[in-house]
Amino acid sequence: MRSPLPHLAAGLALALVLAGPARADDERLTLARDIVTKTVARNLTQAFKQAEEKTLASLSAEQAGKMRPELDKTFAEERDTLVDQLSKEYAQKFDAAELKRLAGIYDDPVYQKFQALNADPTSMVTTITKDAVTKMMNLLSLAALSQQGNGQTPQGGPAPMPTPAPPPAPAPAPAKP
């Protein structure tokens, strides 16, 4: 009678070979999820909270209290979907070593200080950036308006001809006495 041990060993070896890529994929997904959670999700959450507070500030406390749980729930669902999708994408595009290197960058205290300064709405860095972006957007708006004033649309084509007003409705004939 033959021993089942060689077949069992071969089966176990095959299972380990097949499980190897799955474990590597799991590791990459875990690493990617950690990076996305520390960066994109955290920044998105901070930005949403600021925007939510500004939006709800215009409502009564009662209205804001009613809306906040639903807004927070919907935001959390959307954020979780974003984290899942980005994590899968990064796990496909980067190997484990690359993801570990990225995680190291994001965990670096100097990088964290840099990011905190950029995220602080009261920092001079934020003020400088906001002012520059505002100037650039105003420049684009002025360029678009100047093109409209020259008979051109912002895309460079001729401005559409104005539609003539419809003729006035005929006045009723005067009543005969």
Side-chain angles (χ1 to χ4, degrees):
M1 177 172 185
R2 291 178 125 181
S3 169
L5 193 56
H7 293 300
L8 183 60
L12 182 58
L14 180 60
L16 288 175
V17 168
L18 294 176
R23 268 192 258 135
D25 288 347
D26 289 345
E27 179 187 20
R28 288 196 329 253
L29 187 58
T30 299
L31 288 164
R33 182 176 300 285
D34 182 53
I35 292 168
V36 171
T37 300
K38 288 180 194 174
T39 58
V40 177
R42 188 187 75 198
N43 294 339
L44 183 62
T45 300
Q46 289 173 343
F48 177 79
K49 287 296 180 190
Q50 288 175 354
E52 180 183 48
E53 289 308 315
K54 284 182 182 178
T55 300
L56 296 178
S58 66
L59 304 175
S60 71
E62 182 182 343
Q63 290 173 320
K66 287 180 182 177
M67 288 185 73
R68 188 181 316 278
E70 186 61 32
L71 290 171
D72 290 345
K73 178 185 172 210
T74 303
F75 171 76
E77 290 168 356
E78 291 298 322
R79 183 197 56 227
D80 292 348
T81 299
L82 175 76
V83 168
D84 287 344
Q85 291 174 346
L86 286 176
S87 298
K88 289 174 185 173
E89 188 66 21
Y90 290 141
Q92 290 176 358
K93 304 292 186 215
F94 295 92
D95 64 32
E98 292 170 324
L99 290 166
K100 286 176 185 175
R101 186 170 174 199
L102 282 170
I105 291 168
Y106 288 120
D107 290 339
D108 182 273
V110 174
Y111 179 78
Q112 290 176 359
K113 180 180 177 182
F114 175 78
Q115 286 297 83
L117 184 61
N118 287 324
D120 180 0
T122 63
S123 78
M124 191 56 151
V125 170
T126 302
T127 302
I128 292 167
T129 303
K130 190 185 326 178
D131 289 348
V133 169
T134 300
K135 287 177 185 176
M136 288 182 256
M137 296 306 291
N138 288 341
L139 177 65
L140 292 172
S141 295
L142 289 173
L145 287 173
S146 71
Q147 288 301 310
Q148 289 174 347
N150 292 334
Q152 300 286 315
T153 63
Q155 294 82 18
M161 294 299 294
T163 307
K176 292 187 179 179

